[in-house]
Amino acid sequence: MYRIIAISFMLLFVSFSNAQNMIATPSSVVPCTVCHGTQLMGNKSNEAPRLAELPAWYIERQINEFKAQGRGVHPDDHSGAEMLPSAMLLTPEALQEVFEFIAVVKPPQPEKTLHGDIERGKQLYMQCVACHGAAGEGVEILKAPPLAGQNDWYLLKQLQHFKSGVRGANSKDSSVQTMVFASKALSNETDMIDIISYISTLNNETGTN
Amino acid sequence: MHLSRRHFLNMLAAAGGSSLVYNASLAMDFMSKDAKLTSLNLPPANDKNKSIVILGAGIAGLATAYELEKAGYNCTIIEASHRAGGRNLTLRHGDLVDELGNPSICNFDDNHELYMNCGPARLPGHHQRILHYCKALKVPLRIFANSNRLAYLHDSKNFGGKPVRIGEHMADGRGFVAELAHKSLTTGQLDAGLTEEDIAKFKQFIAAFGDLKESGLYEGTERAGSTVDRMLFHAKPKAPKSLTELINSPLFSRLQFMSEAYDWGEPLMTPEGGMDKIVDGFMGALKSPVILNAQVKSIYQGDNEVEVSYVKDGKVVKHKANYCFNNIPAHFMSGIYNNLSENYRTALGALKRGKLFKIGFQMKERFWEDEGIYGGISYTDLPVTQIWYPSNDIFGEKGIMLGAYVWGNEQNEYFERMTPKQRLIVAAENGEKIHPGYAKYIETGVSIPWSRMNHMMGCGSRMSEDDHKKYFSLLQQPDGRHFMIGDQISYHPGWQEGALASAENALSIFSQQVGK
């Protein structure tokens, strides 16, 4: 009980300090924040992922994927289809402003919405380490994005999409195909939830950027 | 067998769809009445709790400010968009069509009669709250034709794919239902419990309902028009379509009853010159600042105040107030930092984005008037679903026609995924099936997918039945000093009346709270 109270106090403190440190959104980033959240913390209701910790190289690749219609065109990729026209409009200058905003914005850690078997997830995560790193920090040279800090519901959705072919089917990117292949090794949703529950433990207190 | 009143209603429902039951119930005075709104007259503000921040300049936010201002509160309205009004949006020449990823400018001619109501468009007489404000704000209204017996039902898979005048379908439908009911009474199977006199009276009703011959048979009716000039000759009704052909058409069985819905019952009204005259009315009456282009970033509740931070002109502004009325679409709330209670945030997360799509076409001629259509709606099973004919500017040179009005997730996504130009092409092709030559009248058009519109991203929020039971009443209550408002906090999302009801509810709880 005392532990819960202590944690709540800590959360309140973190939250309050975040309220104090709101950073103005550059005008060309405002359209992004409509869906991705005003501090780019993601928004489950809009199915828009957290951008706050994503590295520039990964975001740029994804925008290019959308522009090349490698992402967001599958009939079952509803949120991807919503992103596509916005990606089409993004200029390199606007994208640069997005990166600059990400570098300074520090939203609170995402809330956990999945509660799988963390120990089991830790074992299963071994197969992800080679590309995504032991701490889920991502490896640029392999084009594997960081996973730590991301919204758990978004990771689950993407794993499901990779496995079912919704994500990757239209892509010519070899790293995407690597992930499509890797997702097949996960036999069911329980595996996915366990892995993601473990990944959520890798989130640190102040964000990973 | 005894024919109870309930049994009688069930029988009607089986024969003619639930709208018949509805009408019959009305005649028997089963239905409750709508409350009439008189002015809210909130108690005067006290000095301790005088400052109010209102998030979102939609109809609920504007009405909240209007009422609080009258009671002496200091209000500030913060709005993310470049304009006030929320989904009360009327597009005219030169207006920004603010779709995320597809911004454009409305190219309608510069003419006050050429406008499109992209959100709400019609007001029924029992929406007493919105009508009260129209009256108070001196917004002129006129009658709006919603149903039109000369408009069409177009079923691409039945009746040879040809549109049929709604009046014909109505006459045939009623005729066949009446004939059946008349026969049932004659054979004495359903008349137990009714006196001879009751039966005779009821037969009169049935005969009038379906325009039956004295024989009790339906052989077509002049109600559906005539095959010869009715002024120079005896009217000669068309032969009725066959019952089996009629009931094979899902549109026949469903869509001819659209205007039976309580909210679409004739006569409806609409503000002269566009629905946003209501927004103009509020904006003209309000003295409180309405800060546009100001996106809310955080809502933090302390013991005695609420601190809202928003971005304006590249700077973060912190605004403190004693109370907060929040009109922001609930699906944005998980993307806005806040310290509302966990329960309340879960409840907000259960409100899901709804979808709604409209297309407006500027037509260079009012060709529908040559077909005897002045206002009203045609229905089709093609993707555009509905076509609306303007009730304003009859015989004008041009007109703005609603070229699509689409509900349902799949149907909406079908249009959302297209470019704005592709959407207009599909809608033009659909229109051709109802009015041959349709496409050649189109001069320009706009499409409004509400679930893609900037700072809105949805229309008519939804909640699952389970979530509704669990969470909805929570959202109708404040969380500390924070009140959630908007049509989303009503049983009637997508209607301004729902938005105003939510504001009224919040204000009445608020005045009890601060009164203590």
Side-chain angles (χ1 to χ4, degrees):
Chain A
M1 184 66 191
Y2 283 122
R3 217 177 112 203
I4 294 171
I5 293 173
I7 290 170
S8 309
F9 267 113
M10 210 169 73
L11 283 176
L12 262 182
F13 177 75
V14 170
S15 307
F16 184 66
S17 64
N18 270 296
Q20 300 297 299
N21 297 323
M22 287 292 158
I23 291 157
T25 321
S27 60
S28 57
V29 184
V30 171
C32 314
T33 63
V34 171
C35 292
H36 292 277
T38 57
Q39 297 282 89
L40 303 180
M41 70 256 239
N43 182 340
K44 192 182 178 191
S45 298
N46 292 341
E47 297 182 61
R50 184 179 173 98
L51 303 178
E53 282 87 16
L54 290 179
W57 62 264
Y58 177 73
I59 292 178
E60 198 164 12
R61 284 190 77 83
Q62 294 312 304
I63 296 298
N64 289 338
E65 275 277 271
F66 280 112
K67 284 186 174 172
Q69 314 248 314
R71 203 177 164 185
V73 287
H74 192 285
D76 292 329
D77 185 7
H78 304 291
S79 48
E82 291 202 299
M83 179 62 205
L84 197 136
S86 296
M88 291 291 188
L89 276 194
L90 263 179
T91 61
E93 295 74 32
L95 205 50
Q96 198 52 45
E97 284 207 309
V98 173
F99 300 150
E100 283 162 18
F101 187 56
I102 286 176
V104 291
V105 78
K106 298 245 185 321
Q109 284 297 310
E111 286 176 35
K112 290 181 177 55
T113 66
L114 300 175
H115 304 283
D117 182 338
I118 292 171
E119 277 311 309
R120 191 168 171 272
K122 187 176 181 178
Q123 296 307 314
L124 286 167
Y125 184 73
M126 300 305 273
Q127 59 193 307
C128 317
V129 169
C131 292
H132 290 283
E137 73 276 22
V139 178
E140 181 177 356
I141 198 158
L142 298 173
K143 297 163 195 159
L147 304 175
Q150 186 51 268
N151 295 298
D152 55 8
W153 50 264
Y154 179 74
L155 293 179
L156 178 60
K157 183 89 175 266
Q158 297 311 306
L159 272 181
Q160 288 165 338
H161 277 185
F162 277 120
K163 193 172 159 73
S164 66
V166 170
R167 188 167 171 188
N170 303 85
S171 177
K172 295 187 181 72
D173 185 329
S174 61
S175 65
V176 173
Q177 298 314 320
T178 306
M179 189 59 214
V180 171
F181 184 73
S183 68
K184 310 279 187 212
L186 302 172
S187 50
N188 53 42
E189 196 172 285
T190 311
D191 281 6
M192 297 179 184
I193 292 174
D194 290 349
I195 288 185
I196 295 165
S197 299
Y198 172 68
I199 292 171
S200 295
T201 66
L202 301 173
N203 303 349
N204 64 35
E205 291 298 330
T206 53
T208 50
N209 62 342
Chain B
M1 147 189 148
H2 178 71
L3 180 67
S4 69
R5 192 142 80 155
R6 169 58 49 196
H7 186 149
F8 167 64
L9 292 180
N10 287 342
M11 194 180 88
L12 276 188
S18 56
S19 52
L20 277 176
V21 175
Y22 186 79
N23 279 350
S25 314
L26 264 187
M28 294 180 181
D29 211 12
F30 271 7
M31 311 301 285
S32 61
K33 305 278 193 295
D34 293 279
K36 175 159 172 56
L37 180 83
T38 48
S39 192
L40 287 183
N41 287 328
L42 299 177
N46 69 37
D47 284 340
K48 270 192 284 181
N49 285 305
K50 228 171 175 174
S51 67
I52 309 283
V53 63
I54 295 165
L55 312 181
I59 289 297
L62 294 172
T64 301
Y66 177 81
E67 294 295 339
L68 288 170
E69 218 179 67
K70 275 205 298 188
Y73 290 92
N74 300 324
C75 301
T76 303
I77 305 175
I78 300 168
E79 167 59 49
S81 166
H82 63 288
R83 49 171 280 279
R87 284 180 345 261
N88 178 324
L89 166 67
T90 303
L91 285 180
R92 300 180 186 80
H93 172 80
D95 287 342
L96 172 64
V97 185
D98 197 9
E99 180 186 339
L100 216 55
N102 287 314
S104 65
I105 298 294
C106 176
N107 281 326
F108 296 160
D109 288 359
D110 192 1
N111 178 326
H112 68 284
E113 294 284 7
L114 298 176
Y115 58 83
M116 172 193 181
N117 287 327
C118 305
R122 45 192 168 177
L123 312 170
H126 52 83
H127 282 195
Q128 285 288 315
R129 293 177 180 91
I130 188 75
L131 292 172
H132 159 78
Y133 285 109
C134 289
K135 191 173 175 183
L137 299 168
K138 298 191 167 55
V139 176
L141 301 179
R142 58 174 170 71
I143 295 296
F144 170 86
N146 190 62
S147 71
N148 183 341
R149 296 171 75 104
L150 293 177
Y152 298 108
L153 281 191
H154 170 253
D155 184 335
S156 63
K157 294 175 195 73
N158 288 289
F159 315 114
K162 297 260 187 311
V164 177
R165 302 269 189 182
I166 290 172
E168 273 181 50
H169 271 344
M170 288 174 83
D172 284 354
R174 286 175 175 218
F176 284 119
V177 169
E179 193 180 286
L180 263 165
H182 201 275
K183 269 182 201 157
S184 310
L185 284 177
T186 314
T187 57
Q189 297 214 326
L190 295 169
D191 52 357
L194 298 176
T195 66
E196 283 294 314
E197 204 188 336
D198 285 341
I199 290 173
K201 283 180 187 162
F202 189 36
K203 274 192 176 174
Q204 278 176 9
F205 166 79
I206 291 169
F209 177 79
D211 200 19
L212 302 183
K213 299 288 171 228
E214 265 180 49
S215 58
L217 296 178
Y218 176 65
E219 293 170 359
T221 164
E222 206 190 320
R223 289 175 183 175
S226 165
T227 55
V228 296
D229 189 318
R230 294 168 61 254
M231 303 302 135
L232 300 174
F233 304 96
H234 272 304
K236 221 170 131 187
K238 273 189 188 173
K241 293 191 166 54
S242 88
L243 182 60
T244 47
E245 192 187 7
L246 288 170
I247 57 176
N248 203 34
S249 162
L251 272 76
F252 169 80
S253 297
R254 201 163 42 84
L255 292 184
Q256 63 166 301
F257 302 116
M258 291 295 273
S259 60
E260 301 290 327
Y262 196 35
D263 294 309
W264 296 324
E266 301 278 19
L268 288 127
M269 285 165 282
T270 197
E272 194 73 60
M275 189 57 82
D276 67 352
K277 298 293 175 188
I278 298 176
V279 180
D280 294 349
F282 275 120
M283 294 295 277
L286 286 174
K287 291 174 208 78
S288 313
V290 180
I291 304 167
L292 299 177
N293 296 305
Q295 190 191 35
V296 170
K297 269 193 171 269
S298 69
I299 304 165
Y300 180 79
Q301 248 192 126
D303 289 338
N304 301 308
E305 59 189 13
V306 182
E307 185 188 88
V308 171
S309 69
Y310 61 92
V311 180
K312 177 73 183 169
D313 300 330
K315 291 197 180 65
V316 176
V317 182
K318 285 174 187 163
H319 183 98
K320 286 181 183 171
N322 299 121
Y323 281 88
C324 172
F325 289 83
N326 184 351
N327 198 19
I328 294 173
H331 53 262
F332 286 144
M333 285 302 292
S334 57
I336 294 172
Y337 165 69
N338 67 78
N339 70 341
L340 296 169
S341 70
E342 198 180 331
N343 248 357
Y344 206 78
R345 277 187 288 138
T346 310
L348 286 171
L351 271 171
K352 305 293 181 203
R353 299 161 61 194
K355 287 176 181 285
L356 197 139
F357 176 75
K358 283 186 179 182
I359 279 178
F361 279 132
Q362 177 175 306
M363 297 297 195
K364 66 180 171 192
E365 280 174 41
R366 299 170 73 94
F367 61 86
W368 53 91
E369 293 180 352
D370 297 337
E371 296 174 48
I373 299 172
Y374 300 86
I377 303 173
S378 285
Y379 301 89
T380 171
D381 58 348
L382 297 176
V384 294
T385 316
Q386 297 189 21
I387 285 179
W388 291 27
Y389 311 95
S391 293
N392 65 316
D393 203 25
I394 304 282
F395 297 149
E397 186 196 347
K398 299 180 178 183
I400 305 295
M401 184 178 203
L402 209 61
Y405 184 31
V406 182
W407 303 320
N409 277 352
E410 269 177 45
Q411 295 88 331
N412 268 271
E413 273 175 27
Y414 172 74
F415 282 108
E416 282 170 19
R417 281 178 177 248
M418 299 177 195
T419 63
K421 201 175 165 191
Q422 285 169 331
R423 295 170 192 156
L424 300 185
I425 292 170
V426 168
E429 286 167 358
N430 284 188
E432 280 285 335
K433 300 285 189 298
I434 301 160
H435 297 280
Y438 184 89
K440 73 169 190 277
Y441 295 107
I442 299 170
E443 290 186 321
T444 182
V446 289
S447 59
I448 303 289
W450 275 110
S451 52
R452 291 201 53 80
M453 299 308 282
N454 203 359
H455 302 298
M456 200 54 76
M457 299 302 285
C459 177
S461 57
R462 299 169 294 117
M463 239 189 197
S464 74
E465 216 171 297
D466 275 357
D467 282 346
H468 209 280
K469 273 186 211 140
K470 258 192 270 178
Y471 298 125
F472 195 72
S473 58
L474 188 68
L475 295 176
Q476 289 182 304
Q477 296 293 321
D479 186 68
R481 291 171 173 265
H482 172 280
F483 292 77
M484 205 69 202
I485 53 172
D487 63 310
Q488 56 194 350
I489 312 296
S490 81
Y491 280 79
H492 232 56
W495 287 90
Q496 296 175 102
E497 187 73 1
L500 294 171
S502 81
E504 189 187 330
N505 174 57
L507 287 170
S508 98
I509 297 171
F510 167 76
S511 49
Q512 280 166 20
Q513 240 180 37
V514 291
K516 275 177 197 163

